[in-house]
């Protein structure tokens, strides 16, 4: 049997797997290989981390069910632990963000594939949700693309994991309402989000609305949580801009599907109110 630790860091070996439709050789212990690939998520090398390791994990092992259910749950617990999702949590501007961010992506992959034929329990889904909430409140590094090192994109990957959490068959209405609450906090972050994180966040309420998974009152309350007061400081303006972009993304996702007209009208009215200061300026100029 080959040394999986060596193989997992051999880019030529990983490239060959990717070129072969992510088929893992039979002489590899798939679970040991998965754990070795998980370590690569910390790498600042974008090819090793993103193009190879994370995709081989998701498409070659998790999606193709190359590990047992017990091993899959162990992999999920690893991705959620202090050495992965919470690795060096609180650091800003360091390479530790890659491990945290790409752990979110693996969590999303596990949830998505399990949702097709659910084996994870309701308690496990609730635990994942709570871990993601905890992570969302503690993450401080929301950089998108990092020159020379590729995508960090912690916000986008977290949004993917939260989305898969809400769409898992074991998720409850309470789970989904609580996720909407954390999305409102992420949508009103005081750091600019300009790598289409708004769209990734908007897909969470979009899928909930599409599936009629909470009532209209819950969605209306969520929209109101995204409407914050406008002050003159730059932080307030940044938070408003982020929230408006998320609401705009959701508006157009619903508009293009020609659905939920009551919700789209509420979004429109909320956005209009947020921009009322500009409407007043326009009227003053015209007078």
């Amino acid at each position: 049997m080959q040394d999986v630790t060596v193989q997992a860091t051999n880019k030529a070996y990983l490239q060959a797997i990717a070129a072969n439709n992510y088929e893992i050789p039979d002489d590899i212990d798939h679970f040991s290989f998965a754990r070795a690939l998980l370590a690569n998520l910390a790498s600042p090398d974008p090819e090793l981390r993103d193009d190879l390791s994370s995709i081989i994990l998701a498409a070659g092992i998790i999606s193709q069910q190359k590990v047992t259910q017990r091993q899959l749950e162990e992999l999920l617990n690893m991705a959620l632990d202090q050495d992965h999702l919470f690795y060096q949590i609180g650091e800003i501007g360091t390479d530790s963000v890659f491990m945290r961010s790409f752990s979110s992506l693996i969590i999303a992959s596990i949830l998505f594939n399990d949702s097709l034929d659910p084996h994870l329990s309701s308690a496990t889904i609730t635990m994942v949700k709570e871990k993601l909430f905890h992570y969302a409140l503690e993450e401080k590094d929301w950089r998108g693309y990092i020159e020379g090192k590729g995508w960090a994109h912690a916000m986008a990957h977290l949004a993917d994991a939260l989305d898969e959490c809400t769409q898992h068959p074991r998720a409850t209405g309470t789970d989904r309402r609580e996720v909407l609450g954390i999305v409102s906090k992420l949508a009103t972050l005081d750091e600019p989000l300009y790598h289409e994180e708004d769209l990734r966040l908007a897909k969470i309420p979009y899928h909930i609305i599409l599936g009629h998974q909470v009532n209209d009152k819950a969605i209306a309350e969520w929209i109101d949580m995204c409407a914050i007061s406008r002050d003159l400081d730059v932080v307030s303006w940044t938070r408003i801009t982020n929230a408006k972009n998320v609401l705009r993304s959701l508006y157009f996702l619903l508009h293009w599907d020609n659905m939920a007209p009551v919700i789209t009208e509420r979004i429109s009215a909320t956005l209009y109110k947020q921009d009322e200061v500009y409407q007043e300026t326009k009227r003053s100029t015209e007078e």
Side-chain angles (χ1 to χ4, degrees):
M1 185 172 291
Q2 301 180 51
D3 186 335
V4 293
T5 304
V6 173
Q7 298 296 352
T9 54
N10 183 332
K11 287 171 68 172
Y13 183 78
L14 299 180
Q15 288 164 350
I17 291 175
N20 191 35
N21 200 31
Y22 302 101
E23 287 290 338
I24 312 297
D26 292 335
D27 60 349
I28 286 285
D29 179 275
H30 294 135
F31 184 51
S32 297
F33 192 47
R35 288 184 296 178
L37 289 173
L38 204 58
N40 290 346
L41 303 185
S43 175
D45 179 341
E47 184 182 17
L48 178 62
R49 177 190 71 249
D50 198 346
D51 299 339
L52 296 172
S53 298
S54 68
I55 298 179
I56 291 171
L57 259 172
I61 296 177
I62 297 170
S63 179
Q64 297 189 34
Q65 300 178 341
K66 295 294 186 179
V67 294
T68 67
Q69 182 62 30
R70 182 190 63 78
Q71 291 171 336
L72 186 70
E73 292 192 36
E74 188 172 338
L75 196 64
L76 175 61
N77 287 326
M78 285 180 63
L80 289 161
D81 71 17
Q82 294 296 321
D83 294 324
H84 297 88
L85 184 64
F86 292 93
Y87 177 68
Q88 303 294 333
I89 191 71
E91 288 189 352
I92 301 175
T94 71
D95 289 345
S96 66
V97 68
F98 294 119
M99 176 57 88
R100 298 192 299 273
S101 177
F102 280 82
S103 292
S104 287
L105 211 53
I106 296 307
I107 293 164
S109 177
I110 292 172
L111 293 178
F112 170 77
N113 283 280
D114 186 75
S115 70
L116 303 176
D117 181 19
H119 287 84
L120 296 175
S121 68
S122 298
T124 297
I125 298 304
T126 297
M127 178 273 291
V128 172
K129 176 200 68 178
E130 290 174 352
K131 291 269 191 178
L132 292 173
F133 283 6
H134 186 46
Y135 165 71
L137 296 175
E138 292 202 9
E139 180 61 80
K140 305 301 179 187
D141 194 339
W142 299 112
R143 289 175 294 169
Y145 187 81
I146 301 173
E147 196 64 40
K149 298 178 180 180
W151 290 101
H153 234 186
M155 180 66 78
H157 295 169
L158 171 60
D160 291 349
L162 288 169
D163 191 22
E164 295 303 339
C165 195
T166 65
Q167 294 310 304
H168 193 280
R170 304 276 195 242
T172 66
T174 298
D175 290 330
R176 290 167 180 133
R177 286 190 293 272
E178 289 179 355
V179 169
L180 287 174
I182 205 71
V183 170
S184 72
K185 293 182 183 298
L186 296 172
T188 55
L189 199 70
D190 59 9
E191 183 174 328
L193 302 174
Y194 43 74
H195 285 106
E196 294 205 342
E197 295 93 343
D198 54 288
L199 179 60
R200 302 282 269 273
L201 286 169
K203 284 186 174 181
I204 300 170
Y206 167 71
H207 287 140
I208 289 173
I209 294 166
L210 197 67
H212 303 283
Q213 293 167 336
V214 301
N215 59 34
D216 288 351
K217 182 174 181 289
I219 297 296
E221 289 173 349
W222 173 77
I223 293 170
D224 289 344
M225 285 190 285
C226 292
I228 59 177
S229 60
R230 182 186 294 278
D231 293 319
L232 296 178
D233 61 289
V234 68
V235 170
S236 295
W237 282 62
T238 300
R239 294 180 67 216
I240 287 171
T241 299
N242 287 340
K244 283 164 52 178
N245 286 340
V246 171
L247 289 175
R248 286 168 179 156
S249 290
L250 177 57
Y251 176 92
F252 281 105
L253 287 171
L254 295 171
H255 174 72
W256 292 328
D257 279 348
N258 193 28
M259 64 175 293
V262 173
I263 294 173
T264 55
E265 180 55 37
R266 189 179 187 94
I267 294 172
S268 178
T270 299
L271 289 170
Y272 185 89
K273 187 175 182 180
Q274 290 288 86
D275 287 346
E276 202 165 16
V277 60
Y278 298 114
Q279 304 297 331
E280 291 295 333
T281 302
K282 180 181 177 181
R283 283 195 288 270
S284 297
T285 303
E286 290 173 348
E287 290 173 359

